[in-house]
Amino acid sequence: AQTVTQSQPEMSVQEAETVTLSCTYDTSESDYYLFWYKQPPSRQMILVIRQEAYKQQNATENRFSVNFQKAAKSFSLKISDSQLGDAAMYFCAYRNYQGAQKLVFGQGTRLTINP
Amino acid sequence: GAGVSQTPSNKVTEKGKYVELRCDPISGHTALYWYRQSLGQGPEFLIYFQGTGAADDSGLPNDRFFAVRPEGSVSTLKIQRTERGDSAVYLCASSLTSVGTDTQYFGPGTRLTVL
């Protein structure tokens, strides 16, 4: 079974600075998807960024980018120019390319932005 | 509707009672997922529907949990003989299809408290 591990329960960063959230995963599959979701206090999970494992290029979405290291099974999220609205729980998630369509989530990292 | 909606937002019940949690997916989305999020944890998969049928119910913890989607749109998660350990936020998500590239869009969840 696939597992996802986020080893940083909490992180904090000064507004306008850059922060990196870590995620590792375990799978025997060669093709899969990886995601970062944001969960603000409203509880609604919001997709931040997605990476297809067969793509070597790291995904970017405005201030958000990932560092995908397939051999190391590592998938970190970098947030540049942090803003107060970035404060939330961040979850890393895995999904098989074929077969089971469920998302497997990590335990989450609580990100605090200091003004 | 504009997004996935879930009702009720909060539900308090007594141990041993029966509860129903409702999910309205985004219009036209054929795939629907239920997850359970315990306090301080990431969401855990419960069940996934493709159309009216349950394509994967491997995450349901026991036979007290049951879900239906009779017309391929609205889904209801049913919990019989509730226990205090069932207290959690129950999240629903939908996607256009079950293809891996399709994003799962989440609702705000139902917080269930079993006294």
Side-chain angles (χ1 to χ4, degrees):
Chain A
Q2 292 83 12
T3 59
V4 176
T5 302
Q6 294 178 248
S7 58
Q8 305 157 315
E10 297 184 355
M11 292 282 285
S12 64
V13 64
Q14 290 295 124
E15 192 176 4
E17 296 293 308
T18 296
V19 64
T20 299
L21 308 184
S22 301
C23 172
T24 58
Y25 59 94
D26 189 27
T27 183
S28 58
E29 303 291 327
S30 58
D31 288 326
Y32 46 86
Y33 301 96
L34 296 166
F35 306 84
W36 280 96
Y37 275 87
K38 170 184 178 181
Q39 188 178 42
S42 66
R43 299 197 306 240
Q44 190 152 10
M45 302 282 277
I46 302 165
L47 179 66
V48 174
I49 198 165
R50 177 178 71 191
Q51 175 79 42
E52 290 88 350
Y54 56 84
K55 291 186 178 180
Q56 293 185 335
Q57 187 172 7
N58 288 326
T60 62
E61 287 288 343
N62 300 314
R63 298 183 294 107
F64 299 87
S65 61
V66 299
N67 183 4
F68 173 48
Q69 301 290 328
K70 190 172 184 179
K73 296 181 181 175
S74 170
F75 182 62
S76 61
L77 174 70
K78 186 171 83 171
I79 305 174
S80 303
D81 186 26
S82 298
Q83 300 176 1
L84 294 177
D86 295 333
M89 285 291 293
Y90 284 81
F91 292 94
C92 178
Y94 168 101
R95 187 181 189 186
N96 279 335
Y97 182 73
Q98 291 182 330
Q101 294 302 312
K102 63 184 179 183
L103 289 167
V104 178
F105 286 90
Q107 307 93 317
T109 296
R110 181 177 301 281
L111 178 64
T112 301
I113 312 295
N114 300 312
Chain B
V4 178
S5 61
Q6 293 186 244
T7 54
S9 178
N10 292 281
K11 175 71 176 179
V12 180
T13 191
E14 294 180 343
K15 180 176 178 294
K17 299 290 188 182
Y18 167 83
V19 297
E20 290 189 351
L21 311 179
R22 176 187 168 108
C23 172
D24 279 88
I26 294 172
S27 178
H29 280 195
T30 63
L32 185 146
Y33 309 79
W34 284 98
Y35 295 85
R36 180 169 71 173
Q37 186 175 19
S38 299
L39 189 63
Q41 301 294 317
E44 292 180 314
F45 170 77
L46 294 176
I47 186 170
Y48 145 58
F49 289 88
Q50 179 56 51
T52 60
D56 181 358
D57 64 357
S58 63
L60 294 178
N62 51 59
D63 61 5
R64 295 187 298 105
F65 289 75
F66 189 71
V68 296
R69 195 186 185 200
E71 298 179 358
S73 179
V74 171
S75 177
T76 304
L77 179 65
K78 308 180 181 192
I79 310 174
Q80 299 177 325
R81 306 183 303 280
T82 52
E83 299 178 356
R84 293 192 179 88
D86 298 334
S87 296
V89 174
Y90 289 81
L91 296 169
C92 176
S94 71
S95 61
L96 188 60
T97 70
S98 58
V99 171
T101 51
D102 284 349
T103 298
Q104 292 185 24
Y105 295 90
F106 282 80
T110 294
R111 182 181 298 281
L112 176 66
T113 302
V114 182
L115 301 178

